[in-house]
Amino acid sequence: MYKELKKFKVSDSFSFAADDSLEQVCNASEGSGVFLVYAVAEEKELIMVGSTGTVQNDGTLKIKNGGLKEKIVEGHQFAKTGRKYSWPAQMKKEDISLLEVVWYETFNDKTKGIPTAVEGQVLQNFLDENGRLPKWNVAF
């Protein structure tokens, strides 16, 4: 686990197989924060980092309806369609049988980690270690 994520106490994870319903297995909160997606095989490989929620200049949080759960299930990736459709297709294309999604609320009453800043820290550490971004992150 990345050290910058240890301080966030509202966190959980779930597994997703290509024939699962992402809407049903996703246990993410409606809060704001980051999520890490791992391809699970003999070893776990971090393949994507995402976030949701924007901190305004007055220190308040602007969050889209549904928060992390909505972003994970309905967020667009690989096509102009929600992940609930694009992830299973991409998993089949790449022969990935299982994903593990770990999510963290980074901005709430107790913690004030700007979601995109935390996402950027995790991606920077991955870049430093691997010389590239995770394969499902197109850019940052």
Side-chain angles (χ1 to χ4, degrees), residues 13 16 44 60 62 67 75 101 117 128:
S13 66
F16 174 70
K44 281 188 354 183
T60 61
K62 181 180 177 186
V101 180
D128 291 347

Side-chain angles (χ1 to χ4, degrees), residues 37 45-49 123 126-127 132-138:
V37 181
E45 175 191 0
L46 180 64
I47 59 173
M48 188 199 150
V49 180
L123 287 171
F126 188 92
L127 178 66
R132 62 174 177 82
L133 293 178
K135 67 181 177 180
W136 283 12
N137 284 95
V138 176

Side-chain angles (χ1 to χ4, degrees), residues 16-83:
F16 174 70
D19 55 355
D20 287 341
S21 162
L22 187 54
E23 290 168 295
Q24 290 179 348
V25 299
C26 180
N27 67 357
S29 75
E30 292 187 4
S32 187
V34 299
F35 60 97
L36 285 68
V37 181
Y38 295 89
V40 180
E42 289 178 28
E43 292 184 21
K44 281 188 354 183
E45 175 191 0
L46 180 64
I47 59 173
M48 188 199 150
V49 180
S51 68
T52 187
T54 307
V55 177
Q56 306 299 297
N57 70 350
D58 65 357
T60 61
L61 182 72
K62 181 180 177 186
I63 186 166
K64 292 181 179 167
N65 289 341
L68 282 160
K69 183 175 184 102
E70 181 78 7
K71 179 79 170 201
I72 291 168
V73 174
E74 299 292 345
H76 291 185
Q77 190 171 4
F78 305 118
K80 295 191 185 225
T81 183
R83 289 187 178 95

Side-chain angles (χ1 to χ4, degrees), residues 109-126:
D109 293 340
K110 294 188 171 137
T111 359
K112 303 288 185 219
I114 299 170
T116 51
V118 176
E119 176 188 16
Q121 287 175 328
V122 173
L123 287 171
Q124 182 65 58
N125 287 346
F126 188 92

